[in-house]
Amino acid sequence: IFWFMAATVVVIYFFAVLGTSLFYRAESFSSVQTSMWSLFMVFTLEGWPDIFRQARDSSESEIVEVLSFPFFLLYIIISSVVLLNLMTGMIIERVVSAADQQEQERCALIERGYQEHLYKLRTLICQMDSDDTGYLEWHEIEAALSDPVLLEAMEDAGVLAAQDAQHKAALRDLFRLADVDDSGKLDVETAVAMLVRCNHKAVSQIHLYEAVCMLRREIL
């Protein structure tokens, strides 16, 4: 905005000096200050035909009268078209830049929340790993589903604590599919990927099986 205003003042001053030397007989161009005010009115396109006719008819020289039209035409093109379009472009650029910044902040916030969620899941897996092997086994998951402390931790981490037989069977299938090497245990990152899909949105066995298929595609 500052540079737009500075450029506008420079353009108006330049044409005011030129207009005063050409149309000094006209009341609207009797001095540089008066010319600047008149050209500002032309810049807003408010009553500019009257100012133009006054400048054109004030001079007794045919050359000045001929020059009046290109003078005003050039000034209007530069001030009202170029400068205003420049200002519009600057405003649009600022709006787009602000929108991009907000989008980046939103993505950063989502990423930070996701990383916090993963941290909670890794902490939960460490709590569930009762033998401290660094691997999660099915019997440890079953034990966690019966432990009130771990159930609360699972709720806090957004994991669906499936205690009924149907959901537990789906969770068992999810564990088996994640266990691609049939070792009966999952490393931390695979267990995290499994628990990410076993969230509160998976409120039915169908949704759990969808999570199973998605996890299977990622692992394979």
Side-chain angles (χ1 to χ4, degrees):
I1 301 298
F2 170 78
W3 292 112
F4 167 75
M5 295 181 64
T8 302
V9 171
V10 169
V11 169
I12 290 178
Y13 179 78
F14 173 79
F15 277 89
V17 173
L18 183 60
T20 302
S21 63
L22 290 174
F23 315 118
Y24 60 90
R25 295 178 181 274
E27 184 179 352
S28 301
F29 291 90
S30 57
S31 64
V32 173
Q33 294 86 346
T34 305
S35 298
M36 289 184 69
W37 174 250
S38 300
L39 290 175
F40 178 76
M41 297 292 291
V42 176
F43 172 73
T44 62
L45 301 179
E46 179 67 27
W48 75 269
D50 296 333
I51 298 175
F52 165 70
R53 281 191 292 268
Q54 185 182 117
R56 183 194 60 188
D57 299 340
S58 64
S59 178
E60 298 177 355
S61 172
E62 292 184 0
I63 297 178
V64 174
E65 184 177 349
V66 170
L67 289 176
S68 62
F69 179 75
F71 173 85
F72 278 89
L73 179 63
L74 182 62
Y75 173 74
I76 290 174
I77 291 175
I78 294 177
S79 62
S80 298
V81 178
V82 176
L83 290 179
L84 286 180
N85 284 339
L86 177 62
M87 182 178 182
T88 302
M90 291 171 60
I91 293 175
I92 293 175
E93 182 181 2
R94 284 180 175 272
V95 170
V96 172
S97 177
D100 288 342
Q101 184 176 357
Q102 289 180 353
E103 180 64 18
Q104 291 176 1
E105 291 175 354
R106 187 183 71 85
C107 292
L109 184 62
I110 293 174
E111 178 65 20
R112 185 162 59 250
Y114 181 68
Q115 293 300 326
E116 291 176 356
H117 180 59
L118 292 182
Y119 174 77
K120 288 183 178 181
L121 290 177
R122 291 189 179 97
T123 303
L124 174 62
I125 291 170
C126 291
Q127 292 175 327
M128 296 170 67
D129 183 17
S130 56
D131 52 8
D132 294 326
T133 59
Y135 291 91
L136 191 62
E137 300 179 43
W138 174 248
H139 70 85
E140 291 173 330
I141 297 177
E142 283 187 310
L145 294 175
S146 303
D147 188 331
V149 176
L150 289 178
L151 280 176
E152 184 177 352
M154 292 172 72
E155 290 287 338
D156 183 59
V159 176
L160 180 64
Q163 300 185 64
D164 61 272
Q166 187 180 31
H167 283 174
K168 189 177 291 186
L171 183 58
R172 176 64 173 169
D173 290 340
L174 187 61
F175 180 88
R176 287 174 177 170
L177 285 176
D179 182 20
V180 291
D181 56 0
D182 295 325
S183 62
K185 56 187 178 182
L186 305 177
D187 60 77
V188 173
E189 293 305 318
T190 304
V192 167
M194 182 188 74
L195 293 180
V196 163
R197 282 151 188 81
C198 186
N199 54 40
H200 286 291
K201 293 181 181 179
V203 293
S204 69
Q205 190 177 16
I206 295 176
H207 291 156
L208 280 175
Y209 276 118
E210 289 176 354
V212 166
C213 296
M214 184 183 298
L215 180 61
R216 185 68 170 178
R217 285 196 298 269
E218 288 187 6
I219 293 175
L220 297 180

